[in-house]
Amino acid sequence: MASSVHSRSSPVLLPNSSVQTPFLPKQSQLSVFKKKKPFNFASKKVVSCKASNEHSSSPNRFDRRDVLLGLGSVYGATNLVSDPFALAAPVSAPDLDICEKATVSSKSAGEIKVACCPPKSAKIIDFKPPKFSKIRYRPAAHLVDREYLDKFTKAMELMKALPNDDPRSFMQQANVHCAYCNYAYDNGDPNHQLQVHFSWLFYPFHRLYLYFYERILGNLIGDPSFAMPFWNWDAPPGMVIPEIYVDPSSPLYDEKRNVDHQPPKMLDLDYAGEEDDLSKRDLIKSNLAVMYRQMVTNKTASLFHGSAYRAGEKPSPGMGSIENNPHTAIHRWVGDQRQPYKEDMGNFYSAGRDPLFYAHHSNVDRLWNIWKSLPGKKRRDFTDTDWLDSSFLFYDENANLVRAKVRDALNTRTLGYDYQKVNIPWLKNKPTPRRPGRANGKGQAKAAETNNNNDTVIRNVFPIVLDKLVRVEVPRPKKSRTKLEKEDEEEVLVLQNIQLDRDVGVKFNVYVNDEDDEIPTGPEDSEFAGSFSNIPHNQNKGGEKLDTSLTLPISDLLEDLDVEGDDNIVVTLVPKEGKGLVSIGNIKIDYIRD
Ligand code: C2O
């Protein structure tokens, strides 16, 4: 990524003892300082990281930092999250009798109804782990040989040739995704539709979905040892659409893909609807940094898997790390911009119609295995029975309807498969601080600009509508924690009540203490804490928007930035796509155990 053309200034301490006291707004004050004119730094009474003569020469630079919000009290803002234990029960397999058509919409193309309910069955069998004589290995799609490709092609051909009403057919299988992801079912309460994304159901649902898909393919070619490929997008050789998927005469091909993203175009794991202008080398660096952040920094179950989601609850409590990014970015990068609903990969209802979807999710599934194998005491799956006993319905290779639970999905080897071993280059790509470390800056005030004559103070700032870059100062309830305390509890930044229409593509990035005057850069910087993104899916039901949260780990990041002793952090939110279409209810710092 291009670095700033301006040189950085280090913090300047004013010769006044009061500067050692961190600036904190009054406890009751919740204020926004809106910049109308460039700051007059000479008049400032507190220390600022920006204090430097450099600023006076470029008066427009501060106009970019559209808003600075000061959050005065830790407990000042209303906690709008409902009690997660109100109805503690696992999400149960949906009742196919009350499956409804999915509603898909977009601002420009309007609304359509899509029939994606599966055929009914008088009988439901409970899942039993398969018997097998040897583990089948899913290969990296860019490494397969001719013999494998012929088999895979044949299997897909046969699946596509099955009659549409066969539950194992290509269309019916694609509809499984549509039904579970575009609200065809309800979650044990007619007021709350079932959604497997944006929650802890994401990994197990997709693992089981792919498992049955693979068994069907194997069965069709009479080879129960068949294993489908994975798209190895987390390593440079896999950062293009694998060759085997782009031959127009192959059943692996899908016409509804972004025409500008064909090989050799390199995948952007931080994609936000616009073409990157990075060199290949910088793009690889950025991609590997995204992977490091999402896989290594996110080291507890809820950070990785997402938020708890139980029977009777409203959908979409919060995505886990990989689901959010890059999983979503890849869907949107592959989806065809010419299609009304960005089909196929760019919309949940149609994503399963692209054979590439299954290779994409195979890699997501592989990352779940890798995540658990990395060092760290908290890299375990949940033990909560509401998670373990959540169940789904799938048709198996014999067209029997099977009820499978999350607990059936925990170990791929129990399911009879594993992944080909390939390099994991992102393990060594830890983001680095953009600003030089603050050698003796511990405990110092952050760039909390005071209110002066030029500023407008607005109270009750939340919800924030994210139509421009926004900075929020967030107090930290604890600081200078010991190593042990940090191992015990991860410090997290929580964005609550993120609201948006379900059918819009949105992405914003979150930075911590990136006080550069330029727009913050990218994932290769420690300051980049993560991002939020949405795959358009369906119409809001009864005006109910998507209402979710984002939880980002910051313990490591604060250490890397050498600000562990600070009382506050400055959080910068940068809308990348869908400006003005998202609002955020509150931002706070919390401490979590798993
Ligand atoms: Cu179910 Cu990648 O989405």
Side-chain angles (χ1 to χ4, degrees):
M1 288 240 170
S3 59
S4 163
V5 288
H6 301 282
S7 62
R8 315 240 180 287
S9 51
S10 33
V12 175
L13 291 172
L14 300 179
N16 175 337
S17 61
S18 70
V19 300
Q20 299 303 334
T21 315
F23 169 79
L24 265 176
K26 287 212 180 70
Q27 283 296 299
S28 59
Q29 195 178 30
L30 198 60
S31 45
V32 180
F33 308 106
K34 190 164 187 157
K35 301 283 173 297
K36 292 218 169 118
K37 283 202 234 160
F39 247 31
N40 176 2
F41 279 91
S43 72
K44 292 193 66 176
K45 299 277 188 311
V46 297
V47 68
S48 166
C49 293
K50 313 243 99 36
S52 154
N53 291 336
E54 193 192 349
H55 296 100
S56 53
S57 63
S58 100
N60 288 327
R61 297 168 73 196
F62 284 92
D63 296 340
R64 301 209 191 186
R65 324 173 71 204
D66 303 295
V67 182
L68 172 87
L69 305 172
L71 177 57
S73 161
V74 185
Y75 305 107
T78 330
N79 182 346
L80 299 168
V81 173
S82 57
D83 177 12
F85 299 105
L87 206 160
V91 166
S92 58
D95 181 349
L96 299 190
D97 287 330
I98 50 172
C99 181
E100 284 173 6
K101 282 187 176 164
T103 311
V104 180
S105 62
S106 86
K107 302 283 173 270
S108 51
E111 190 183 305
I112 51 165
K113 292 275 183 198
V114 184
C116 53
C117 296
K120 290 176 187 159
S121 163
K123 201 171 110 208
I124 299 176
I125 323 178
D126 279 309
F127 179 80
K128 281 200 195 58
K131 293 196 172 52
F132 53 89
S133 53
K134 64 178 200 319
I135 294 286
R136 40 185 209 282
Y137 284 89
R138 291 186 180 170
H142 67 282
L143 296 176
V144 302
D145 60 17
R146 188 75 241 172
E147 192 193 337
Y148 176 89
L149 181 58
D150 288 346
K151 244 193 209 179
F152 183 33
T153 308
K154 184 79 203 158
M156 288 301 295
E157 229 167 62
L158 292 170
M159 187 186 245
K160 286 188 166 179
L162 288 173
N164 263 348
D165 60 350
D166 188 316
R168 302 164 306 163
S169 69
F170 184 74
M171 224 22 213
Q172 290 291 343
Q173 285 296 307
N175 283 348
V176 170
H177 197 257
C178 169
Y180 275 100
C181 318
N182 283 66
Y183 307 91
Y185 303 124
D186 71 41
N187 180 19
D189 174 340
N191 296 314
H192 293 313
Q193 297 161 306
L194 178 63
Q195 169 60 272
V196 294
H197 300 86
F198 299 94
S199 80
W200 68 6
L201 297 184
F202 175 76
Y203 287 97
F205 167 80
H206 290 89
R207 173 167 288 176
L208 291 164
Y209 177 25
L210 263 62
Y211 168 82
F212 288 104
Y213 199 87
E214 182 173 84
R215 301 299 282 171
I216 293 167
L217 291 175
N219 189 263
L220 289 169
I221 51 170
D223 179 1
S225 74
F226 175 77
M228 60 187 173
F230 67 92
W231 178 7
N232 188 197
W233 38 251
D234 56 306
M239 288 176 186
V240 286
I241 296 183
E243 222 45 68
I244 61 171
Y245 290 90
V246 298
D247 169 5
S249 66
S250 161
L252 303 180
Y253 181 72
D254 183 19
E255 196 173 66
K256 294 181 182 171
R257 290 185 193 142
N258 191 320
V259 284
D260 298 326
H261 294 165
Q262 301 303 304
K265 175 75 184 173
M266 188 167 254
L267 179 58
D268 176 4
L269 297 188
D270 188 32
Y271 180 67
E274 264 167 35
E275 296 316 310
D276 61 84
D277 49 5
L278 299 176
S279 70
K280 195 174 159 193
R281 206 166 142 242
D282 287 343
L283 193 50
I284 289 176
K285 200 172 163 208
S286 164
N287 286 348
L288 294 176
V290 168
M291 289 309 304
Y292 183 96
R293 189 55 95 218
Q294 304 305 83
M295 289 291 287
V296 183
T297 311
N298 284 268
K299 49 170 116 65
T300 76
S302 64
L303 289 169
F304 186 73
H305 279 282
S307 305
Y309 176 45
R310 302 166 208 273
E313 290 182 355
K314 64 188 183 88
S316 313
M319 281 185 271
S321 63
I322 291 288
E323 177 187 1
N324 203 332
N325 204 30
H327 156 262
T328 297
I330 297 168
H331 270 276
R332 309 210 51 227
W333 187 85
V334 177
D336 187 348
Q337 295 299 317
R338 302 166 304 184
Q339 304 302 324
Y341 307 100
K342 311 291 180 245
E343 292 95 337
D344 281 324
M345 280 279 273
N347 197 299
F348 280 152
Y349 96 87
S350 52
R353 296 178 185 180
D354 188 338
L356 187 55
F357 170 92
Y358 303 91
H360 173 36
H361 269 276
S362 227
N363 201 40
V364 169
D365 186 66
R366 170 180 161 264
L367 293 173
W368 180 8
N369 279 0
I370 295 175
W371 180 81
K372 281 197 273 190
S373 74
L374 299 177
K377 287 197 207 97
K378 304 209 165 179
R379 292 178 178 274
R380 302 177 295 227
D381 291 327
F382 298 104
T383 51
D384 187 324
T385 50
D386 286 347
W387 185 65
L388 294 168
D389 290 328
S390 287
S391 56
F392 315 99
L393 295 176
F394 300 96
Y395 278 96
D396 71 6
E397 66 273 26
N398 302 312
N400 289 319
L401 189 60
V402 179
R403 180 192 297 111
K405 292 183 171 178
V406 167
R407 63 170 75 249
D408 297 320
L410 303 184
N411 188 339
T412 62
R413 290 196 157 239
T414 311
L415 295 171
Y417 74 93
D418 206 337
Y419 288 93
Q420 177 184 10
K421 293 271 175 283
V422 290
N423 283 340
I424 307 177
W426 43 262
L427 279 174
K428 294 191 216 83
N429 277 260
K430 185 173 183 186
T432 50
R434 195 149 80 110
R435 294 185 303 136
R438 297 191 325 201
N440 44 25
K442 293 220 166 160
Q444 169 183 312
K446 296 312 306 149
E449 278 85 345
T450 49
N451 181 17
N452 72 12
N453 301 337
N454 300 327
D455 301 327
T456 313
V457 176
I458 303 168
R459 285 170 204 281
N460 297 321
V461 296
F462 289 107
I464 302 166
V465 175
L466 208 52
D467 50 2
K468 51 182 170 269
L469 184 149
V470 170
R471 289 186 203 274
V472 187
E473 191 180 63
V474 186
R476 295 173 64 215
K478 303 175 189 175
K479 59 175 183 176
S480 304
R481 295 188 303 146
T482 64
K483 189 164 181 280
L484 226 74
E485 285 170 323
K486 285 189 215 171
E487 268 167 21
D488 192 39
E489 286 189 331
E490 175 76 24
E491 183 162 350
V492 292
L493 187 66
V494 190
L495 280 64
Q496 296 173 301
N497 298 98
I498 300 173
Q499 297 193 345
L500 58 147
D501 288 332
R502 293 165 174 176
D503 61 9
V504 297
V506 149
K507 175 151 181 175
F508 64 83
N509 289 344
V510 183
Y511 298 82
V512 168
N513 285 14
D514 191 326
E515 292 151 51
D516 197 272
D517 305 327
E518 300 301 314
I519 296 295
T521 58
E524 64 281 7
D525 303 319
S526 302
E527 288 85 349
F528 183 96
S531 47
F532 172 84
S533 50
N534 180 47
I535 299 178
H537 41 301
N538 61 312
Q539 177 71 295
N540 297 336
K541 191 188 180 185
E544 187 193 58
K545 290 190 165 203
L546 177 61
D547 182 351
T548 188
S549 66
L550 175 66
T551 307
L552 301 170
I554 55 170
S555 291
D556 287 2
L557 191 148
L558 296 179
E559 244 173 51
D560 295 345
L561 296 176
D562 197 14
V563 293
E564 174 50 38
D566 287 6
D567 295 285
N568 306 288
I569 56 171
V570 175
V571 174
T572 306
L573 306 175
V574 183
K576 303 289 284 185
E577 189 178 7
K579 285 198 178 97
L581 302 180
V582 192
S583 68
I584 294 156
N586 188 31
I587 302 182
K588 65 169 187 178
I589 282 175
D590 212 341
Y591 301 86
I592 59 166
R593 286 172 181 274
D594 48 34

